[in-house]
């Protein structure tokens, strides 16, 4: 029996286990997937928890519900990849051999990377919402918060779901307005980017939304440390920003074992060919999802579009053919803007987010770079699609390659 | 693209003044560009510049974190050497492309 080993059973790993079990012959191929945790988190749902829209139970399910029959599942920490010997070492020392390896270990938040972030105010006046614990703690805090300076700070690039911090401030604006205390809450968005987003048109559109909603933005801020005693964040240039409540998007790093296995970049993301999605140094290793260092968003939608590419190229490699599929970096992100409305961006490596309609040119039903009610329903619908279609590796009626039809230049 | 004379040498630069051919770069050119950026180059600056040029010629990406881990300077010292926008400044002075951030 030949062996396909999948590391990580999050969004991307689970999806690939389902796809590959259908594609690879059961008589010839063993498929094994490894993850440290038994619970699957619907991470996009974390955004809704601080504002009481979702609770913890809305975003968790057992990982076991999503694996197909015929896949071996191992719950264990992964300690090391030894690519020269084609094997992976687990936390308890067990070695797993592979013929092909698929890395899907995502990214984790690393608050320990910033001085003072894990200080005396952590989970007292400082929270993250990229983890279930942080999101739940913040929901409790907001229930009784009397208002003051709410500062949302992005520590460092890249971080997963680059629109989530923007959605967070839009939601905060609506949340405190609805509670009749918006005049007591001063919201400031502090980012290392030169504006609200990276690409010109989306930056302009989202920047204007911030302004309309009376949310301050402080760009080009690279945080150096948190001063817990004086409740301030300080950047490398010496700029100081006071806060009463700090919501941080901590540094996002790839798994530690990526670094010790010699496969990663400065932030432990796996060095990956951005078109073939193969690891740059090893022909029998492919990478999917947030774990890859490819220059596009780290998002579930990207992993979904990449899945088809990885499947095809993995089969090419296995059958000794040239890799024929090319990934274009396609990303598609619904952005909640508060008050039951949302906007949508669709882009890839070469094309910035443009206005228009999606997925059907002229018809939509979703509006690109427009604030509409339908876009908000798109996002809510996404949770259902995630559990029932995406994780199971089923096809969706959306092309994985980005389409120019329906977009206005 | 246009041609600009820096330290007496004609070099190709883009609209933002970044050199387009890293092989045209000299230490004298670096000092000239640095002056325009309000930086007076010391030996320490050149150590960082060497590191940056090495990274780029090896085809690798450049991040503040990477420079902070380089062993040449830490992130704080890097900001002190190239105040304001350190990555933008150091790449311009080193004659390599401006780093892009994509999310
Ligand atoms: C607040 C928030 C909002 C978001 N909103 C959206 C959205 O609206 N749309 C969208 O498309 N995306 C969104 N995302 C991003 C999306 O959730 C991720 O991009 C997606 O889950 C990535 O999938 P992945 O499989 O690469 O990583 P993950 O799903 O994170 O899975 C990685 C898995 O690897 C395991 N693992 C890691 N290291 C080890 C180890 N050493 N040993 C064993 N197991 C290990 C982990 O336990 C985990 O199960 C959001 C994310 C957050 C945090």
């Amino acid at each position: 029996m030949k062996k396909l080993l999948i590391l990580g059973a999050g969004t991307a790993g689970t999806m690939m286990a389902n796809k590959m079990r259908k594609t690879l012959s059961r008589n010839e191929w063993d498929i094994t997937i490894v993850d440290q945790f038994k619970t699957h988190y619907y991470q996009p749902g974390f955004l809704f928890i601080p504002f009481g829209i979702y609770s913890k139970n809305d975003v968790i399910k057992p990982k076991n519900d999503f694996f197909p029959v015929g896949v071996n599942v191992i719950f264990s920490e992964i300690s090391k990849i030894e690519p020269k010997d084609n094997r992976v070492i687990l936390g308890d020392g067990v070695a797993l051999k592979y013929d092909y390896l698929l890395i899907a270990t995502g990214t984790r938040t690393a608050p320990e990377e910033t001085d003072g972030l894990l200080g005396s105010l952590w989970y007292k006046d400082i929270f993250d919402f990229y983890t279930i614990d942080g999101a739940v703690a913040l929901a409790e805090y907001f229930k009784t918060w009397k208002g003051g300076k709410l500062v949302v700070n992005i520590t460092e690039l890249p971080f997963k779901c680059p629109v989530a911090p923007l959605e967070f401030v839009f939601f905060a604006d609506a949340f405190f307005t609805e509670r009749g205390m918006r005049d007591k809450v001063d919201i400031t968005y502090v980012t290392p980017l030169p504006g609200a987003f990276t690409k010109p048109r989306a930056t302009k559109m989202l920047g204007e939304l911030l302004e309309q909603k009376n949310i301050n933005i402080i760009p080009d801020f690279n945080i150096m440390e948190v001063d817990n005693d004086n409740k301030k964040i300080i950047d490398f240039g010496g700029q100081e920003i006071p806060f009463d409540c700090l919501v941080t998007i901590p540094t996002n790093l790839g798994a530690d074992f990526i670094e010790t296995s010699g496969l990663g970049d400065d932030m432990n993301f796996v060095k990956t060919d951005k078109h073939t999605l193969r690891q740059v140094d090893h022909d029998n290793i492919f990478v999917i999802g947030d774990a890859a260092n490819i220059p596009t968003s780290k998002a579930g939608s990207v992993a979904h579009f990449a899945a088809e590419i990885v499947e095809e190229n993995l089969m090419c490699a296995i059958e000794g053919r040239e890799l024929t599929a090319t990934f274009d970096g396609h990303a598609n992100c619904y952005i909640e803007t508060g008050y039951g409305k949302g906007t949508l961006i669709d882009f890839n490596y070469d094309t910035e987010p443009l206005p228009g309609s999606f997925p059907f040119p002229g018809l939509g039903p979703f509006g690109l770079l427009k604030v509409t009610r339908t876009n908000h329903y798109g996002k809510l619908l996404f949770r259902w699609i995630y559990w029932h279609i995406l994780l199971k590796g089923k096809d969706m009626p959306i092309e994985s390659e980005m389409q120019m039809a329906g977009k206005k230049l | 693209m246009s041609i600009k004379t820096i330290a007496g040498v004609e070099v190709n630069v883009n609209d933002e003044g970044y050199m387009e051919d890293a092989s045209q770069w000299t230490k004298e050119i670096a000092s000239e560009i640095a002056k325009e950026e309000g930086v007076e180059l010391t030996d320490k600056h050149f150590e960082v510049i060497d590191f940056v040029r090495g990274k780029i010629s090896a085809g690798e990406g450049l991040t503040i974190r990477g420079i902070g881990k380089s062993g040449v300077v830490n992130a704080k010292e890097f900001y002190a050497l190239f105040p304001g926008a350190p990555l933008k400044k150091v790449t311009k002075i080193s004659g390599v492309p401006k780093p892009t951030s994509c999310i």
Side-chain angles (χ1 to χ4, degrees):
Chain A
M1 288 288 260
K2 290 197 224 91
K3 291 180 193 307
L4 170 65
L5 180 57
I6 303 176
L7 302 183
T11 313
T14 306
M15 203 157 57
M16 289 311 296
N18 280 292
K19 275 190 181 293
M20 296 318 294
R21 189 62 291 175
K22 276 191 217 115
T23 308
L24 291 172
S25 151
R26 285 181 191 235
N27 301 328
E28 290 172 38
W29 283 89
D30 243 2
I31 302 181
T32 300
I33 188 164
V34 188
D35 201 290
Q36 58 199 339
F37 300 127
K38 292 190 170 165
T39 304
H40 192 115
Y41 294 98
Y42 173 62
Q43 299 175 43
F46 292 176
L47 167 72
F48 298 78
I49 292 177
F51 307 102
I53 305 169
Y54 287 168
S55 67
K56 187 171 175 178
N57 283 333
D58 293 320
V59 302
I60 57 175
K61 285 187 196 284
K63 281 193 196 297
N64 270 330
D65 288 3
F66 301 95
F67 302 127
V69 177
V71 167
N72 313 309
V73 180
I74 299 177
F75 289 113
S76 165
E77 201 196 324
I78 301 152
S79 297
K80 198 166 188 203
I81 302 173
E82 297 181 338
K84 290 212 177 68
D85 299 321
N86 294 323
R87 62 179 196 174
V88 167
I89 312 296
L90 301 184
D92 52 11
V94 167
L96 299 176
K97 296 282 288 175
Y98 62 80
D99 293 286
Y100 283 87
L101 183 70
L102 189 53
I103 303 177
T105 40
T107 172
R108 68 171 178 94
T109 54
E112 70 277 9
E113 292 284 316
T114 304
D115 288 344
L117 195 50
L118 291 177
S120 55
L121 298 180
W122 183 246
Y123 285 10
K124 295 205 176 64
D125 291 306
I126 302 179
F127 301 88
D128 71 300
F129 68 98
Y130 270 48
T131 61
I132 188 73
D133 293 343
V136 168
L138 186 53
E140 280 306 310
Y141 181 85
F142 276 164
K143 279 183 191 162
T144 56
W145 194 45
K146 298 280 181 289
K149 293 188 181 68
L150 172 63
V151 172
V152 176
N153 175 229
I154 295 160
T155 304
E156 195 173 346
L157 301 179
F159 57 100
K160 66 180 148 188
C161 198
V163 296
L166 280 167
E167 298 181 277
F168 184 91
V169 290
F170 294 150
F171 265 164
D173 165 63
F175 179 77
F176 292 115
T177 303
E178 280 156 16
R179 306 189 122 213
M181 56 184 283
R182 182 63 177 88
D183 56 334
K184 297 195 182 65
V185 181
D186 180 37
I187 307 177
T188 305
Y189 187 77
V190 184
T191 169
L193 287 166
F197 200 66
T198 41
K199 301 291 163 61
R201 288 191 220 205
T203 301
K204 182 165 178 290
M205 188 265 182
L206 295 164
E208 285 166 4
L209 267 183
L210 287 173
E211 209 178 310
Q212 278 166 29
K213 293 174 188 289
N214 199 14
I215 298 165
N216 317 308
I217 173 166
I218 299 183
D220 294 316
F221 185 96
N222 291 285
I223 187 169
M224 179 178 76
E225 63 177 335
V226 180
D227 177 345
N228 284 265
D229 294 335
N230 300 302
K231 288 194 154 186
K232 277 192 264 190
I233 53 174
I234 304 166
D235 92 339
F236 284 105
Q239 194 181 353
E240 300 186 351
I241 300 172
F243 65 84
D244 293 301
C245 173
L246 174 65
V247 174
T248 175
I249 289 76
T251 297
N252 280 207
L253 295 179
D256 296 337
F257 75 85
I258 299 295
E259 182 181 29
T260 50
S261 305
L263 299 174
D265 67 6
D266 293 333
M267 305 187 80
N268 306 348
F269 294 118
V270 186
K271 291 182 188 165
T272 307
D273 183 286
K274 70 176 187 174
H275 293 302
T276 62
L277 303 178
R278 178 147 75 175
Q279 207 280 328
V280 293
D281 299 314
H282 302 281
D283 284 353
N284 61 342
I285 303 182
F286 286 81
V287 193
I288 185 165
D290 296 351
N293 78 338
I294 56 175
T296 185
S297 287
K298 296 193 180 300
S301 63
V302 174
H304 170 73
F305 296 131
E308 235 173 78
I309 310 296
V310 171
E311 180 182 11
E312 181 174 328
N313 282 343
L314 193 54
M315 290 312 292
C316 290
I318 286 172
E319 291 165 7
R321 296 178 279 121
E322 289 243 327
L323 307 188
T324 45
T326 298
F327 190 50
D328 65 351
H330 189 190
N332 177 274
C333 303
Y334 289 92
I335 306 173
E336 289 284 2
T337 55
Y339 304 102
K341 292 190 178 171
T343 181
L344 175 64
I345 54 176
D346 191 63
F347 58 103
N348 68 12
Y349 291 143
D350 304 318
T351 311
E352 64 164 307
L354 296 170
S357 52
F358 181 87
F360 306 109
L363 295 174
F366 302 115
L368 295 165
L369 284 183
K370 286 191 239 56
V371 175
T372 71
R373 218 159 263 289
T374 322
N375 288 336
H376 162 68
Y377 290 117
K379 179 105 178 188
L380 294 186
L381 192 66
F382 188 62
R383 183 168 64 126
W384 189 90
I385 293 176
Y386 184 88
W387 294 125
H388 298 275
I389 299 181
L390 205 110
L391 285 184
K392 302 263 167 87
K394 294 183 191 160
D395 290 336
M396 286 220 283
I398 297 177
E399 298 280 340
S400 58
E401 195 180 324
M402 196 202 75
Q403 306 293 307
M404 276 313 287
K407 292 197 170 68
K408 294 190 205 88
L409 276 171
Chain B
M1 185 181 107
S2 55
I3 292 181
K4 190 176 171 187
T5 307
I6 308 175
V9 193
E10 289 197 341
V11 296
N12 304 334
V13 294
N14 71 9
D15 308 342
E16 294 181 298
Y18 284 79
M19 286 175 62
E20 303 209 307
D21 180 354
S23 69
Q24 294 178 328
W25 180 90
T26 63
K27 286 194 162 187
E28 290 69 36
I29 291 177
S31 299
E32 276 290 305
I33 302 177
K35 259 189 217 131
E36 288 175 23
E37 295 291 322
V39 179
E40 193 69 46
L41 296 184
T42 63
D43 290 350
K44 197 76 199 165
H45 286 94
F46 277 110
E47 279 182 47
V48 179
I49 292 169
D50 274 350
F51 174 80
V52 166
R53 288 181 57 86
K55 271 280 208 193
I56 296 297
S57 69
E60 291 179 31
L62 214 53
T63 57
I64 289 174
R65 167 177 292 269
I67 292 171
K69 273 186 175 179
S70 64
V72 181
V73 282
N74 64 30
K76 198 169 177 177
E77 292 162 346
F78 178 47
Y79 272 84
L81 289 174
F82 301 91
L87 265 190
K88 283 182 208 154
K89 278 190 185 166
V90 79
T91 45
K92 196 168 191 180
I93 297 169
S94 303
V96 299
K98 179 176 165 183
T100 50
S101 58
C102 31
I103 57 174

